[in-house]
Each structure stands twice: as structure tokens, then as C-alpha cells.
Amino acid sequence: MGEGLESHKIMSMEEDKRERVINAAMKEFAKGYKAACTDSIVREAGISKGLLFHYFGTKDGLYSFILKNACEMVYNEYLSLINLEQSDIIEKIWQMTLLKVDLSYKHPALFDFLAKAYIDLQENPNEEFAAYFEKTRSVAIEKALADVDTSLFKDGIDAKKAANIVIWTLNGYSASKIRSDMTMEDYQNEYERYLEEIKEYISILRKTLYK
Amino acid sequence: MGEGLESHKIMSMEEDKRERVINAAMKEFAKGYKAACTDSIVREAGISKGLLFHYFGTKDGLYSFILKNACEMVYNEYLSLINLEQSDIIEKIWQMTLLKVDLSYKHPALFDFLAKAYIDLQENPNEEFAAYFEKTRSVAIEKALADVDTSLFKDGIDAKKAANIVIWTLNGYSASKIRSDMTMEDYQNEYERYLEEIKEYISILRKTLYK
Amino acid sequence: MGEGLESHKIMSMEEDKRERVINAAMKEFAKGYKAACTDSIVREAGISKGLLFHYFGTKDGLYSFILKNACEMVYNEYLSLINLEQSDIIEKIWQMTLLKVDLSYKHPALFDFLAKAYIDLQENPNEEFAAYFEKTRSVAIEKALADVDTSLFKDGIDAKKAANIVIWTLNGYSASKIRSDMTMEDYQNEYERYLEEIKEYISILRKTLYK
Amino acid sequence: MGEGLESHKIMSMEEDKRERVINAAMKEFAKGYKAACTDSIVREAGISKGLLFHYFGTKDGLYSFILKNACEMVYNEYLSLINLEQSDIIEKIWQMTLLKVDLSYKHPALFDFLAKAYIDLQENPNEEFAAYFEKTRSVAIEKALADVDTSLFKDGIDAKKAANIVIWTLNGYSASKIRSDMTMEDYQNEYERYLEEIKEYISILRKTLYK
DNA sequence: GATGAATGAGGGTTCATTCAT
DNA sequence: AATGAATGAACCCTCATTCAT
């Protein structure tokens, strides 16, 4: 993952400034590629317009870097932290959910950006980007499904399909809780309640899918 | 639903042309409001720029109409067709899935557009549009959960949560099958296989959630 | 004056409708040629866009007609009513002032339109229009200065210059009273006071310029 | 007067270029706000469209700046040069006329622009602009009428009205000499003759209004 | 004659990108 | 490396003019 990022021109920029650029760009691109405006990025990052283009060449070049960087973040700070030894798939997916929530806290724009980028990709197909997404997605699935103890499932149930039901159910719950009018405070206040409710879903899934 | 659409200026446009405009606009706006370009719309619809603005005034006015129209389509050609008598929730959601697939066939851009519109709405909150979405969403949920025979579920399982698991699982499956590189032909070729696979998920859900 | 107007296509339009078109156009063109919009004219006149262009061909053609027509109005309802026998120039100009006020009442947009047209003419010189203005202006001066009894002026004063002082003073007063925030009601309420004040200026002029 | 102009973004533009923009804009806006076209301005000023909008944001912003700047010019290069000690009102107005002629020479579009702006203002009332005009106008009157030696007038003549007659007469003369077909050369050739003629009017006014 | 839907050139505005300093 | 003034293509929108009915 992420080959080429370490050798990118931007790496010669001092770290603090680079961080500011990446965060500003990720936040702005979460509006979608077209709606994002380079002026906002340089304003928020506190650098000049010329410098941005000195490092990234084009808006596209910047987008490409930010996208790869985001995928790499997901890999380094999420996928690589998954406990591969856990063979109880429901337990594992529950832990993955917690890791994802943690990462969302640390990088609020990360998943918004990636979600938008994924949709943008449908409109403007781009092999390279598609490959990045697919790679990240397949690694996630691979890790999630690695060493699943299929004997936990009731007899006669396809283990992969059952795992999908678990994944989609938790995703569905998360998506249903995101609201435009929710502030960061709201989120923190509701956090405990959400975890409680997720646990109830987990409990149903465990009761029904497991022996 | 949709009050006011019938009296819109556009209704005096001949039907064939109007259809072309609506389809072209829906397809273009699926890129997102900002990324959509009125030139592309008129080119695809085969009308002049002036005419588009004669009927809709502004890009915003066009967007507004297309959005309301899409919600109305969803209502007339999907929600209103749901069999309210069906008390077996899994069966009902299965039938809803089929209706949705049918509508996707007839209006390929419809759900893509609505999904993007929903995301755009998060960034540019607009009370009127939010109301439309909420109305459509709540009607859908209400219809889906009307007259559910909760006695079918295993004892000790919350019926609403169980219904959600069914809905999210089918949504998750659908989403996983949408690919940017999939043409309409691909879709038709795979259709039968998809239905088969969905049936298997339905079967698992029935086996595990029902008595 | 006005040759060609009687034979204009528009004369075959029924009088009532024609009046509405002329009034609407004069009012709209008082905004200036460029700022005037044919849509407003047809809306106010209650005719269709096509009909306007059927009769006048182009916006320019309409403007040209309206301008000539306005000059003719000035001739027929102002200049031709001047009492040529009056040899007391101050008295005559006073009466001309009253005639002008009357005409302003009957056609509120007339002088506004002409003033704007005169300014527009400076920007876009047009021989034909310039000729119309000049003709109207010279006729007005000629009539004003016809049969002036120069013996009324103090000795050693150039009669033409003295007459100009009278004219410019009264024009200056009128111009100083026109305000953007003055409604027709305001105007009528102030009318008497204005006439009184004008009389005082007249009195000064008479006292100083006349023997 | 003119507070805020010195801190305008445009002030960071190099002077030569700025002058070109201001002159080009003043000339173009003399056509009236709507009729003026930003393309003509940038063409004449020799800058790009983008730059104009970089500095002024909108056509309106440009107009606003040009208007304030014109008022300030009138103040700095005309009103502030008036000799307040002069108590002979006719002499003072004569000198003011000369100052105005000088300024017209230096900025040929200035008074045309202001005259048009004043008319535009009647149609599109704008408090801020109205205030600028009123301020400039009232300063002009105040300066003109400051320290008038009313004892010079014949007894029984209202001093203010007499002063107005002087002002309107000279304005009337100026206005009568402006012709659309007059080039700058014509103007310079006629200049001496005009001054001679104005002197004759001054002489009449002095002879008749003064003791 | 009369209508108003339809056209497209033209104008204001935005913004990615370049380049002299 | 760093800046930000400068550019111009592309976008939304207006409106005089045409034309089928």
C-alpha cells in the first residue's frame, strides 16, 4: 500500500506545514472534487497558492495524493490494528467497529472524504483510484474473514454470507445514525447510547447466527 | 407528496421533450449539484440553453424540480406499490427489493441522483428539500413496518431491530453489487444470478430470525 | 416634423392597443435603451412578444418610433401651443413653463424619456435622432425668441443673452426640484409652492433685466 | 470624504495600471451602469478579465469604487481649490467655472460619468451612493455661498435666489455648448471664444444684479 | 394578425494554473 | 523555496429575435 507516497515531493515540506495541507485538503475535498476550491485549502493551510501548485502540480495531483494518503491512513491506523487471531467473527467485527470509531475521532474528515471520493469515482472512473479503493476494501474483507471459526455458525449456514450479514447490519446502523445536524458534541453525548444499541444488535446476531 | 409539480411551467412542454430534459438533468445532477453543468444537460436533452432557463429560471430551480420529481417517482412507482397486506416482513422486504430493482431499470439515474442529493443536502442544508427526503423516507419505513406479524420472529427478539437487520442486509448486498465499470448489459446478464444470491440471504434470514 | 410616422405599420393597430404600447415603451425606455427590456414592454402593454416585433422589427425600430413620436408629441402638445403674439419674453417663457408642466402631467414618462434619450445620443451618436432633437430644440428656441420686444430690456443688454438667462434660470429651478424620492402625490402637493417660488424668480428677472 | 478608498485592494495595484483601469471604467460607466460592459473596460485598460474581478469582486464593486473615486476627485481637484475668501459671488462662481473646465480637461469622462451616475441613482436608489452625491453637492453649495457679500446685490433682491440665477445661467451656458460631435480639438479651438462669451454673460449678470 | 416557445450570442463571475520576482 | 498577481477558459444566466402554428 502507498508505494510512491514516501518519495512524493511534498515529503520535503516541513512536517507541520504538510499536516496542515493534508488536513485542509481532506476537509475541502470532502465536499467533492469539483466543489472543493484550492483557495480555501491554501487559506486554511496558511500557505500560498503558488506553493501548493509547486508541490502538487495540479488540483488533480493534490487529490490523488490526498486519496492515496487517506487509504494509507486507513491501512496503518485501522486495518493493521485488527486482531487476526480473533476467530469469533462477531467479536472481531465488533472490535473493528470500535477501531473505526476511534479513527473517525482522530481524523474527522477521513471517512467523509473517502465516502465522497468513492462516489466521485463512480462518475469519473479512474483505474488507479479504483485500484486503491479495491485494494483497501479487499484487505479489509480479507482481514475480517481471516481465520473465521465457521463452526460457531449454526449448521447449514454459509459462513461468508453470515459474516456479510454481520458487516452490513453494523454498517447500516452506523449510516442510519449520521445526521447532517449532528455536531461533534452531540456525537460524544450519544456515543454511549450508540454503543449500547450496537451491542443489542450484536446480541441478536449472536443469538440467531451462532449455535 | 409532490404538490405543485403538476402546475410547474415545465408541464406545458411537450411530454417527449420533458422526459428528455428530466432524464438528462437527473443523470447530470447525479454528479452532484456543483459538478453538474447545464451545458451537458441541454446537449443531452437536445434543447437550447435559453429554453432550459425559460422553464426553470435558474440551475437551482431546475435542481429543485428534479429533486421533487424524483421523490414523487419513488412514491408513485415504488412506495405506493407496496403490498400493505403482507404481514411477513421478510417477504415484504423481498418484494420491495424487487420493486426497487424494477424502478432502477426504468430510471437508471434515479437512485444515484437521490443518493447524491442526500449527501449534497448534508452540506447545504435546505429545509424544503430535507422535508421532501424525510417525508419519502418516513413513508417508506412506515409502509415497510406496517402490520408486521411480530409473532413470526423467534421469542425474545426485538421485532424492529430484526426488521432493520433484514433491510440493511439487502441494502448491503445491493450496494456491494454496484460497480462503476458495470454496463447495463452486464447488469441484465447478472440479474438472474443476483436474484438467486439474494434469495439465499433471504433464506438465511428466515431460518435464523423466524421461529 | 414626424414625417413617416403616420404611414408606420403600427398605425394599422387598433388605437387603444397602440396607446398602451407607446406608453409602456416610453416608460421602459426612460431607463435608457440598454436597460429597457422588451419583455417588460409587452407585459405592461398586454400584447405578445411576436406582435411587438411584427410591428417594429427590432428593438431599435421600436426605439426609433417612440423617439420620433415623443418629439412629435412635444411639437403638437407644447410648441404649437405657444402664443407667438406674446412679445414680453419673460411672460412668454413663464407661459411655456406652464405648458410644459401640463404636458408632464398628461405624459409622465415623456420628458424623462427624452432627457434619457438625449444623453444616450451623446454615447451612441445617430444622425437621424440628432436631427430630430435639433429640429425640436431649434423650433422651441425660434418660437421662444420670435417677436421679442427687445425694447423692454435695459439698454446695453444683448436681448438673446438676456432671454437665455431667463430660460436657463427656469430650467435650473425645475431641475433642482426633481428628486428621485418624489412621488406624484408629493409633486401635486408642492405644485402651488413651486409656482409661487418660480414667480419670485420671474419677478427678480423682470426687475433686473427689464427697464 | 472618500474614507476607505485608500485601503481598497486596488491600491496595491501599480499606479500606472490603476489609472488605466479607473479611466477606462469611468469612460465606460458614463454609458450608464447596465450599458457598460466589463469586457470593454478590460480591453481598454489592457488587463485580463480575471484581474478586474480579483480587485473589485463584482461589476457593482467596481462601479462603487469608481463613483466614490470620482466624488473624491471632484473634492480634491475642484471643491478644495475654491477661494473661500472671495466674497463677490459672481467673481467666485466665475472662478469655479474655470476650475471645473480645467478638471474636465484632465478627466474628460469625469463629469459625464457623474451626471449619468446621478440619473442612474434616481432609478436604483442606493443610500450609500446618494449620501456621497449629497455630501459632494452640499459641500459645493456651501463653499459657493460661503461669505457672500449680499450688500453687493441691488436692494430688495433675495441674495440666495440671485446666486442661483448666476449658477444656473453659467450651467445653462456650459450645457448648451456640449455637443456629441465635438472632439477634444474642437473644444480647445473654441475654448477662448467660450470664455469670451461667458464673460459677456457675467457682465450682464453683474450689471443687472449688482448695485 | 397574433402567439409564445425556442434560439444563441453575449455578459458577469469563478477558479485552476502560470510566472515573474 | 515561496509568493500572489495575472490569466483565460468555462460556467450560469439574460434577452433580442425568429418561426411554426
Side-chain angles (χ1 to χ4, degrees):
Chain A
M1 292 291 300
E3 57 280 12
L5 284 194
E6 302 79 9
S7 62
H8 195 281
K9 228 179 180 180
I10 189 76
M11 290 309 167
S12 62
M13 187 185 252
E14 55 178 298
E15 183 165 350
D16 173 51
K17 203 183 279 186
R18 186 170 65 232
E19 282 299 310
R20 273 171 12 230
V21 171
I22 290 174
N23 287 329
M26 201 150 65
K27 187 170 149 194
E28 186 70 13
F29 277 128
K31 293 180 183 174
Y33 181 78
K34 195 81 209 288
C37 135
T38 54
D39 268 340
S40 303
I41 296 172
V42 300
R43 204 183 314 120
E44 174 130 0
I47 62 164
S48 75
K49 203 98 175 275
L51 198 55
L52 188 77
F53 282 87
H54 171 70
Y55 281 116
F56 297 103
T58 63
K59 186 185 183 182
D60 228 70
L62 170 60
Y63 185 73
S64 167
F65 175 84
I66 296 296
L67 182 54
K68 290 175 187 170
N69 188 261
C71 287
E72 194 163 324
M73 271 175 161
V74 168
Y75 186 80
N76 293 335
E77 305 184 42
Y78 171 43
L79 300 181
S80 70
L81 303 181
I82 294 169
N83 175 9
L84 296 176
E85 262 83 59
Q86 177 58 267
S87 65
D88 179 337
I89 178 81
I90 291 182
E91 191 57 32
K92 184 190 266 183
I93 289 174
W94 166 237
Q95 284 168 8
M96 287 170 72
T97 300
L98 292 179
L99 286 172
K100 212 170 160 184
V101 166
D102 272 6
L103 188 50
S104 287
Y105 260 112
K106 271 194 277 185
H107 301 283
L110 179 59
F111 288 104
D112 280 353
F113 164 68
L114 282 172
K116 197 78 169 189
Y118 185 72
I119 296 171
D120 275 352
L121 187 61
Q122 317 281 100
E123 310 303 328
N124 289 47
N126 172 314
E127 276 198 28
E128 192 194 8
F129 294 169
Y132 260 90
F133 271 112
E134 186 48 29
K135 210 167 184 176
T136 306
R137 204 179 65 89
S138 64
V139 167
I141 290 173
E142 187 189 308
K143 296 219 164 188
L145 300 183
D147 289 314
V148 172
D149 182 353
T150 58
S151 70
L152 292 173
F153 289 119
K154 286 197 173 110
D155 295 330
I157 292 184
D158 181 289
K160 202 170 172 191
K161 286 197 172 60
N164 278 334
I165 290 174
V166 176
I167 293 170
W168 292 330
T169 294
L170 293 184
N171 275 349
Y173 179 81
S174 303
S176 77
K177 286 306 167 199
I178 296 170
R179 298 244 201 70
S180 61
D181 57 353
M182 187 184 287
T183 67
M184 192 52 86
E185 277 95 317
D186 289 336
Y187 193 73
Q188 289 168 349
N189 292 335
E190 306 279 23
Y191 187 59
E192 290 301 323
R193 209 162 60 67
Y194 288 172
L195 286 186
E196 207 53 50
E197 214 169 2
I198 294 180
K199 274 185 203 159
E200 290 170 29
Y201 277 101
I202 295 273
S203 153
I204 294 176
L205 292 169
R206 196 183 292 277
K207 215 185 298 181
T208 55
L209 295 172
Y210 277 8
K211 280 173 185 162
Chain B
M1 293 286 302
E3 56 279 13
L5 284 195
E6 302 79 11
S7 63
H8 194 282
K9 230 181 181 181
I10 189 75
M11 290 310 166
S12 63
M13 187 185 251
E14 54 178 300
E15 184 162 353
D16 171 52
K17 204 184 278 186
R18 184 171 66 232
E19 283 300 310
R20 271 165 22 225
V21 170
I22 291 175
N23 289 329
M26 203 151 62
K27 187 171 150 194
E28 187 69 14
F29 276 128
K31 293 181 182 174
Y33 182 78
K34 268 217 82 170
C37 144
T38 53
D39 268 342
S40 304
I41 296 172
V42 300
R43 205 180 314 118
E44 174 131 359
I47 61 164
S48 75
K49 203 99 174 274
L51 193 56
L52 188 75
F53 284 88
H54 170 68
Y55 280 115
F56 297 103
T58 63
K59 186 185 182 183
D60 225 72
L62 170 60
Y63 186 73
S64 167
F65 175 84
I66 295 295
L67 181 53
K68 289 176 187 169
N69 187 259
C71 287
E72 193 163 324
M73 271 175 164
V74 167
Y75 185 78
N76 293 333
E77 306 184 40
Y78 171 44
L79 300 181
S80 70
L81 302 181
I82 294 170
N83 175 10
L84 296 175
E85 261 83 58
Q86 177 58 268
S87 64
D88 178 337
I89 180 80
I90 293 183
E91 191 56 32
K92 186 191 263 182
I93 289 174
W94 164 236
Q95 283 166 9
M96 286 170 72
T97 301
L98 292 179
L99 286 172
K100 213 170 160 182
V101 167
D102 270 6
L103 189 50
S104 288
Y105 260 113
K106 272 194 277 183
H107 301 284
L110 178 59
F111 289 103
D112 281 353
F113 164 67
L114 281 171
K116 194 77 170 193
Y118 185 72
I119 296 172
D120 274 353
L121 187 63
Q122 317 280 101
E123 270 126 39
N124 290 46
N126 173 315
E127 274 198 30
E128 193 194 8
F129 294 169
Y132 261 90
F133 271 112
E134 187 48 31
K135 210 170 184 175
T136 307
R137 205 181 64 89
S138 64
V139 167
I141 290 174
E142 186 189 310
K143 295 218 163 188
L145 300 183
D147 289 313
V148 172
D149 181 354
T150 57
S151 70
L152 293 173
F153 289 119
K154 286 195 173 114
D155 295 331
I157 292 184
D158 181 289
K160 204 171 171 188
K161 286 196 172 60
N164 278 335
I165 290 175
V166 177
I167 293 171
W168 292 330
T169 296
L170 293 185
N171 276 348
Y173 179 81
S174 302
S176 78
K177 286 308 167 198
I178 296 171
R179 298 243 202 71
S180 60
D181 57 353
M182 186 186 285
T183 65
M184 190 54 82
E185 277 94 319
D186 289 338
Y187 193 73
Q188 288 168 348
N189 294 334
E190 307 277 23
Y191 188 58
E192 290 302 323
R193 211 162 59 66
Y194 288 172
L195 287 188
E196 208 52 50
E197 213 168 3
I198 294 180
K199 274 186 203 160
E200 292 171 29
Y201 276 100
I202 294 275
S203 153
I204 295 177
L205 292 169
R206 195 182 293 277
K207 217 183 298 181
T208 56
L209 295 172
Y210 276 7
K211 279 173 185 161
Chain C
M1 292 288 300
E3 58 280 14
L5 283 195
E6 301 80 8
S7 63
H8 195 282
K9 230 181 180 181
I10 189 75
M11 290 309 168
S12 63
M13 187 186 252
E14 52 178 302
E15 184 164 352
D16 172 52
K17 205 183 276 187
R18 184 170 67 232
E19 282 299 311
R20 277 175 4 234
V21 170
I22 290 174
N23 288 329
M26 202 151 63
K27 188 170 150 195
E28 186 69 16
F29 277 128
K31 293 180 182 172
Y33 181 77
K34 195 81 209 291
C37 133
T38 53
D39 268 341
S40 303
I41 296 172
V42 301
R43 204 182 314 120
E44 174 130 358
I47 62 163
S48 76
K49 204 97 175 278
L51 197 55
L52 188 76
F53 282 86
H54 171 71
Y55 281 116
F56 297 103
T58 64
K59 187 185 183 182
D60 228 72
L62 171 61
Y63 186 72
S64 167
F65 175 84
I66 296 296
L67 181 53
K68 289 176 187 168
N69 186 261
C71 287
E72 193 163 323
M73 270 175 162
V74 168
Y75 185 79
N76 293 335
E77 305 184 43
Y78 171 43
L79 300 181
S80 71
L81 301 182
I82 294 169
N83 174 10
L84 295 175
E85 261 83 58
Q86 178 59 270
S87 63
D88 178 335
I89 179 80
I90 292 183
E91 192 56 32
K92 184 190 265 183
I93 289 173
W94 166 236
Q95 283 166 9
M96 287 170 73
T97 300
L98 292 179
L99 286 173
K100 213 168 161 184
V101 167
D102 272 4
L103 187 51
S104 287
Y105 260 113
K106 272 193 277 184
H107 300 284
L110 178 60
F111 288 104
D112 281 354
F113 165 67
L114 282 171
K116 197 79 170 191
Y118 185 72
I119 296 171
D120 274 352
L121 188 61
Q122 318 280 103
E123 310 300 330
N124 290 48
N126 172 314
E127 275 198 29
E128 192 194 9
F129 294 169
Y132 260 89
F133 272 113
E134 186 48 30
K135 209 167 185 177
T136 307
R137 206 181 64 90
S138 64
V139 168
I141 290 173
E142 186 190 310
K143 296 218 163 186
L145 300 183
D147 289 312
V148 171
D149 182 353
T150 58
S151 70
L152 292 173
F153 289 119
K154 285 192 173 117
D155 295 332
I157 292 183
D158 180 290
K160 202 168 172 191
K161 287 197 172 59
N164 277 335
I165 290 175
V166 177
I167 294 170
W168 292 330
T169 295
L170 294 185
N171 275 349
Y173 179 80
S174 302
S176 77
K177 286 307 168 199
I178 295 173
R179 299 245 201 70
S180 62
D181 56 355
M182 185 183 288
T183 66
M184 190 55 83
E185 275 94 318
D186 289 337
Y187 193 73
Q188 289 170 349
N189 292 334
E190 307 279 22
Y191 187 60
E192 290 301 323
R193 210 163 60 66
Y194 288 172
L195 286 186
E196 209 52 50
E197 214 170 0
I198 294 181
K199 276 186 201 160
E200 291 171 29
Y201 277 101
I202 295 273
S203 153
I204 295 177
L205 292 169
R206 196 183 293 276
K207 214 184 296 179
T208 56
L209 294 173
Y210 277 7
K211 277 173 186 161
Chain D
M1 294 287 300
E3 57 279 13
L5 282 195
E6 302 79 10
S7 63
H8 194 282
K9 228 180 181 183
I10 189 75
M11 290 310 168
S12 62
M13 186 186 253
E14 55 178 299
E15 183 163 352
D16 172 52
K17 203 183 279 186
R18 184 171 66 233
E19 284 298 313
R20 269 164 24 222
V21 170
I22 290 174
N23 288 330
M26 203 151 64
K27 187 170 150 195
E28 186 69 13
F29 277 129
K31 292 182 184 175
Y33 181 79
K34 268 219 81 172
C37 142
T38 54
D39 268 341
S40 304
I41 295 173
V42 300
R43 205 181 314 120
E44 174 130 0
I47 63 165
S48 75
K49 204 107 173 264
L51 194 56
L52 188 76
F53 283 87
H54 170 69
Y55 280 116
F56 297 104
T58 62
K59 186 184 182 183
D60 225 71
L62 170 60
Y63 185 74
S64 167
F65 175 84
I66 295 297
L67 181 53
K68 289 177 186 169
N69 187 260
C71 287
E72 194 163 323
M73 271 175 164
V74 167
Y75 185 80
N76 293 335
E77 305 183 42
Y78 170 44
L79 300 181
S80 71
L81 303 181
I82 294 169
N83 176 10
L84 296 176
E85 262 83 59
Q86 179 57 268
S87 65
D88 179 335
I89 180 79
I90 292 183
E91 192 57 30
K92 185 191 264 181
I93 289 174
W94 165 236
Q95 284 166 7
M96 286 171 72
T97 300
L98 291 178
L99 287 172
K100 212 168 159 185
V101 167
D102 271 5
L103 188 52
S104 288
Y105 259 113
K106 272 194 277 185
H107 302 283
L110 179 59
F111 289 103
D112 280 354
F113 165 67
L114 282 172
K116 195 77 171 190
Y118 186 71
I119 295 171
D120 275 353
L121 187 61
Q122 317 280 101
E123 270 127 39
N124 290 45
N126 173 314
E127 275 197 30
E128 193 193 7
F129 294 170
Y132 260 88
F133 271 112
E134 186 47 30
K135 210 170 184 175
T136 306
R137 206 180 64 90
S138 65
V139 167
I141 290 173
E142 187 189 309
K143 295 218 163 185
L145 299 183
D147 291 313
V148 172
D149 182 353
T150 58
S151 70
L152 292 173
F153 289 119
K154 286 195 171 112
D155 295 329
I157 291 184
D158 180 289
K160 203 168 171 193
K161 286 197 172 61
N164 278 335
I165 290 174
V166 177
I167 293 170
W168 292 332
T169 295
L170 292 185
N171 275 350
Y173 179 80
S174 302
S176 78
K177 286 307 167 198
I178 295 172
R179 299 243 203 70
S180 61
D181 57 353
M182 187 185 284
T183 67
M184 191 54 83
E185 276 96 317
D186 290 337
Y187 193 73
Q188 288 169 348
N189 292 335
E190 307 279 22
Y191 188 59
E192 289 302 323
R193 209 162 62 66
Y194 288 171
L195 287 188
E196 209 52 50
E197 212 169 3
I198 294 180
K199 274 186 203 161
E200 291 171 29
Y201 277 101
I202 294 277
S203 154
I204 295 177
L205 292 169
R206 195 181 295 277
K207 216 184 297 180
T208 56
L209 295 172
Y210 277 8
K211 278 172 184 162

